[in-house]
């Protein structure tokens, strides 16, 4: 039995010395020291020995177990050290190599214009609202006095999700004005920026997806003069003192009377060019006094309260602000263009 133990010892030591992976060490531990291992099998034969031989063989078996256990731990530590050294070598960093330059980005020109607009209106006491881009036609049209049959509700102009034309991608952020009238206490002063969607052909001043900033004021004794004075003040803060604007009569179902506001073309200074389509002016927003029927639908007495509202295209504001000649540049993400701002 002594010879068996010595043989197991020598074979195990040789196998452990040749092990290359920690998994190999575990396999050898089970093979020699496990419950069904070779050393255990030898110890099960102790019953055949005489009383004098048992202590001697038992001690020898314990010595073999301790030696193999110690060797397994030593080999495990050795393999881990080898792996660590290999990893350190593979992941070594040459601190003398010049570092890679990290380019810092900056805000998009359109969002620069948006932040400026927000700051102006917040400074005037307005609250900023946000709302859903997937909207109900009830809020986008019905509550804005655009009844069935209105041209803006046509499938050729609006992105609908259902055949009943009730769920849609909002074509304006005006629904947030209705939601504000439903939930906020009077007086109300809000702006609602966000993405909107219309089936427009892409050109220098149009896109099927663009951004709007809508605003609304409702209070006692509000007049058209308040609307014009506020919007002129906003344009001068955005584009500088003396910015030329004009108001033209228009029609919107949401407002009565209604108007459109233009700013003089930044590209040609009013002479006429492709950017302004030869008119010398660029339309930036539609506005007007809130229709009494719209106020009534929201439970507001039009005899006691009045209000005005507007909706401006953010991209066009950015174009005027940064003298951008083509709206498509804003969406193309050309780094050469964006790095200028």
């Amino acid at each position: 039995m002594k010879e068996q133990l010595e043989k197991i010892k020598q074979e195990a030591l040789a196998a452990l010395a040749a092990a290359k992976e920690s998994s190999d060490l575990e396999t050898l531990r089970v093979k020699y020291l496990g419950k069904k291992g070779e050393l255990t099998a030898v110890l099960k034969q102790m019953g055949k020995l005489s009383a004098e031989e048992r202590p001697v063989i038992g001690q020898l078996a314990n010595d073999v177990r301790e030696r193999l256990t110690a060797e397994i731990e030593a080999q495990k530590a050795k393999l881990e050290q080898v792996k660590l050294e290999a990893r350190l070598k593979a992941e070594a960093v040459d601190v003398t190599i010049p570092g890679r330059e990290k380019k810092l980005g900056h805000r998009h020109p359109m969002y620069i214009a948006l932040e400026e607009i927000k700051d102006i209106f917040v400074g005037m006491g307005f609250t900023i609202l946000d709302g859903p881009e997937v909207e109900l036609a009830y809020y986008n049209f019905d509550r804005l006095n655009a009844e069935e049959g209105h041209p803006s509700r046509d499938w050729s102009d609006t992105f609908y999700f259902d055949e009943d034309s009730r769920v849609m991608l909002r074509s304006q952020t005006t629904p947030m004005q209705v939601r504000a009238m439903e939930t906020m206490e009077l007086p109300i002063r809000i702006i609602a920026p966000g993405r909107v969607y219309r089936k427009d052909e892409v050109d220098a001043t149009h896109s099927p997806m663009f951004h709007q900033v809508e605003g609304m004021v409702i209070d006692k004794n509000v007049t058209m003069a308040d609307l014009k004075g506020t919007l002129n003040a906003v344009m001068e803060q955005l584009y500088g003192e003396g910015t030329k604007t004009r108001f033209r009569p228009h029609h919107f179902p949401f407002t009565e009377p209604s108007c459109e506001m233009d700013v003089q073309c930044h590209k040609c200074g009013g002479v006429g060019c492709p950017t302004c389509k030869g008119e010398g002016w660029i339309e930036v927003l539609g506005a007007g006094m809130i229709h009494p029927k719209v106020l009534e639908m929201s439970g507001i007495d039009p005899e006691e309260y009045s209000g005005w509202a507007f909706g401006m295209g953010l991209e066009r504001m950015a174009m005027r602000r940064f003298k951008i000649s083509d709206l498509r540049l804003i969406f193309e993400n050309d780094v050469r263009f964006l790095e200028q701002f």
Side-chain angles (χ1 to χ4, degrees), residues 91-112:
E91 298 179 1
V93 177
D94 186 350
V95 295
T96 64
I97 296 177
R100 295 178 180 176
E101 180 184 0
K102 291 186 177 180
K103 294 186 177 180
L104 296 180
H106 54 75
R107 285 184 299 173
H108 192 281
M110 186 179 68
Y111 286 100
I112 295 174

Side-chain angles (χ1 to χ4, degrees), residues 2 5-6 8-10 12-13 33 39 43 54-71:
K2 287 182 180 180
L5 291 173
E6 185 62 28
I8 290 172
K9 175 183 174 182
Q10 296 303 323
L13 290 175
L33 304 180
L39 184 60
L43 294 177
R54 287 176 188 170
V56 177
I57 298 301
Q59 182 61 45
L60 181 60
N62 286 335
D63 291 344
V64 172
R65 180 183 296 279
E66 292 176 0
R67 176 65 190 282
L68 295 183
T69 300
E71 189 64 22

Side-chain angles (χ1 to χ4, degrees), residues 35-249:
K35 292 183 178 180
K36 296 181 181 181
E38 294 184 14
L39 184 60
T40 303
V42 172
L43 294 177
K44 288 181 179 179
Q45 302 176 27
M46 293 280 286
K48 300 178 182 179
L49 300 176
S50 62
E52 293 79 9
E53 290 178 312
R54 287 176 188 170
V56 177
I57 298 301
Q59 182 61 45
L60 181 60
N62 286 335
D63 291 344
V64 172
R65 180 183 296 279
E66 292 176 0
R67 176 65 190 282
L68 295 183
T69 300
E71 189 64 22
I72 289 172
E73 292 300 320
Q75 283 296 105
K76 184 177 180 180
K78 182 179 178 181
L79 290 176
E80 289 178 351
Q81 181 63 30
V82 171
K83 284 187 176 181
L84 177 60
E85 291 175 356
R87 182 180 175 185
L88 290 174
K89 184 177 180 181
E91 298 179 1
V93 177
D94 186 350
V95 295
T96 64
I97 296 177
R100 295 178 180 176
E101 180 184 0
K102 291 186 177 180
K103 294 186 177 180
L104 296 180
H106 54 75
R107 285 184 299 173
H108 192 281
M110 186 179 68
Y111 286 100
I112 295 174
L114 175 59
E115 291 302 316
E116 292 177 352
I117 292 169
K118 284 182 178 180
D119 289 343
I120 292 169
F121 279 102
V122 168
M124 292 180 172
F126 285 68
T127 299
I128 300 173
L129 298 185
D130 188 21
E133 294 180 27
V134 177
E135 185 59 273
L136 298 175
Y138 173 71
Y139 283 105
N140 198 90
F141 294 124
D142 295 345
R143 291 289 297 277
L144 298 175
N145 202 32
E147 300 177 347
E148 293 288 346
H150 192 277
S152 63
R153 301 184 70 141
D154 195 86
W155 277 77
S156 63
D157 291 336
T158 303
F159 295 97
Y160 288 104
F161 286 95
D162 61 335
E163 294 182 358
D164 296 329
S165 304
R166 305 312 300 169
V167 183
M168 56 181 288
L169 288 174
R170 65 183 180 188
S171 61
Q172 53 201 356
T173 56
T174 319
M176 287 309 301
Q177 298 180 22
V178 178
R179 294 177 183 274
M181 286 188 279
E182 285 185 339
T183 59
M184 297 178 69
E185 294 183 359
L186 296 169
I188 298 173
R189 291 176 177 83
I190 61 101
I191 62 169
R195 283 185 291 266
V196 297
Y197 307 85
R198 297 178 189 174
K199 292 183 178 179
D200 288 336
E201 295 295 330
V202 176
D203 61 26
T205 55
H206 293 83
S207 170
M209 187 285 293
F210 58 101
H211 296 74
Q212 271 191 341
V213 179
E214 300 245 354
M216 179 179 70
V217 171
I218 300 177
D219 204 345
K220 295 179 179 179
N221 302 316
V222 173
T223 68
M224 192 75 172
D226 299 315
L227 165 64
K228 294 182 67 176
T230 301
L231 294 180
N232 276 327
V234 170
M235 295 304 152
E236 287 205 341
Q237 289 193 57
L238 279 173
Y239 306 132
E241 187 175 350
T243 297
K244 294 182 179 181
T245 64
R246 72 176 184 183
F247 290 82
R248 295 177 287 105

